Amino acid sequence: MRILLSPDATGAGVAAAAVIASSLGDRPAPVLGVATGSSPQPLYRALADRVQAGLDLARATAFALDEYVGLPVDHPESYHSVIAREVIGPLGLDPSRVHVPEGVSADPVAAAARYEALIAAAGGVDLQILGIGANGHIGFNEPGSVPDSRTRVVDLAPRTVADNSRFFDGDAGLVPTRALTQGIGTILESREIVLIAWGESKADAVARAVEGPQTAELPASFLQRHDRVTLVLDAAAASRLSSASLPVDAGR
Ligand code: GLP
């Protein structure tokens, strides 16, 4: 895994946007995988600056990683709403090319299969943006998720419900307990992955993802299987990595 270090979250966002812009090059219609949560917000702000400066994503297709099950699409914290607010608008995406799992479907199992088919029909994901949960989840692949898992309905870990209660007025009772998420296997099929993490609360998960054994107990550790992963970290998120994992010029 390639690791890029920035002093703070804003810098990590700028660095991650630079990686993405360079990877997309002048590809006219890339397929992006987009994450929600607080982690990618600095990245989306930096990418939005690039769009203002001329980066054209109007023909990009995008697939969100996940969505809560049962949360109305128009709830402000549904990932449909978050993606519209933080991704589609700022990045100038065409809403008709942006897909989010149908968490309100009466048949979420069928919705999961449809989502996999949509990704395949788009030719797969060129570049997947990821955050990481404090418990090492990616998307909503909680501990216990196996590396060949596909898009499916999952139960959220108590830690994730507690962590995400900040988006629901601090009330864990308002956080949905199930989600539809792309699987680890789905994520690993994307051609390139950029994971952004910042803050001390992610330091342990980052260190275990990079240096620990590949284990379902820490789903992000399966990213070690992918040969094009860039982790963009701030100093706090990188603070528990051994020096052997850090870029040679880190700290100079
Ligand atoms: C959320 C999302 C993930 C995200 C992770 C970390 O609940 N489902 O896609 O990467 O958990 O969240 P945050 O970035 O807010 O810390």
Side-chain angles (χ1 to χ4, degrees), residues 169-192:
D169 299 327
D171 185 348
L174 297 177
V175 183
T177 56
R178 293 194 306 156
L180 258 176
T181 183
Q182 289 189 36
I184 304 279
T186 320
I187 292 169
L188 290 177
E189 281 171 11
S190 55
R191 288 180 271 282
E192 178 171 1

Side-chain angles (χ1 to χ4, degrees), residues 34-41 65-68 79 128-135 137-142 156 160-161 163-164 166-167 179-181 195-198 201-202:
V34 289
T36 51
S38 47
S39 303
Q41 288 172 351
L65 276 171
D66 45 18
E67 175 60 289
Y68 294 110
Y79 288 169
Q128 176 66 56
I129 294 166
L130 289 180
I132 183 171
N135 64 0
H137 74 236
I138 49 176
F140 270 133
N141 291 282
E142 299 284 21
L156 301 189
T160 302
V161 171
D163 284 351
N164 286 4
R166 70 192 190 280
F167 297 116
L180 258 176
T181 183
L195 183 151
I196 180 167
W198 45 268
S201 66
K202 304 298 174 67

Side-chain angles (χ1 to χ4, degrees), residues 1-2 130 138 144-150 183-193 195 208-231:
M1 292 196 237
R2 175 169 69 139
L130 289 180
I138 49 176
S145 298
V146 294
D148 59 357
S149 52
R150 310 301 306 187
I184 304 279
T186 320
I187 292 169
L188 290 177
E189 281 171 11
S190 55
R191 288 180 271 282
E192 178 171 1
I193 295 172
L195 183 151
R208 291 173 65 199
V210 174
E211 297 172 356
Q214 291 183 31
T215 168
E217 285 166 35
L218 202 289
S221 63
F222 293 123
L223 296 174
Q224 295 172 26
R225 299 184 175 195
H226 196 289
D227 60 6
R228 262 190 105 189
V229 179
T230 302
L231 264 60

Side-chain angles (χ1 to χ4, degrees), residues 46-97:
L47 263 184
D49 289 344
R50 285 178 174 266
V51 168
Q52 290 294 323
L55 176 68
D56 184 4
L57 295 175
R59 291 179 58 207
T61 296
F63 289 94
L65 276 171
D66 45 18
E67 175 60 289
Y68 294 110
V69 165
L71 196 63
V73 166
D74 62 0
H75 186 288
E77 295 305 330
S78 79
Y79 288 169
H80 280 79
S81 296
V82 173
I83 292 284
R85 193 166 63 230
E86 297 178 1
V87 182
I88 296 178
L91 302 193
L93 302 185
D94 172 352
S96 71
R97 295 177 198 248

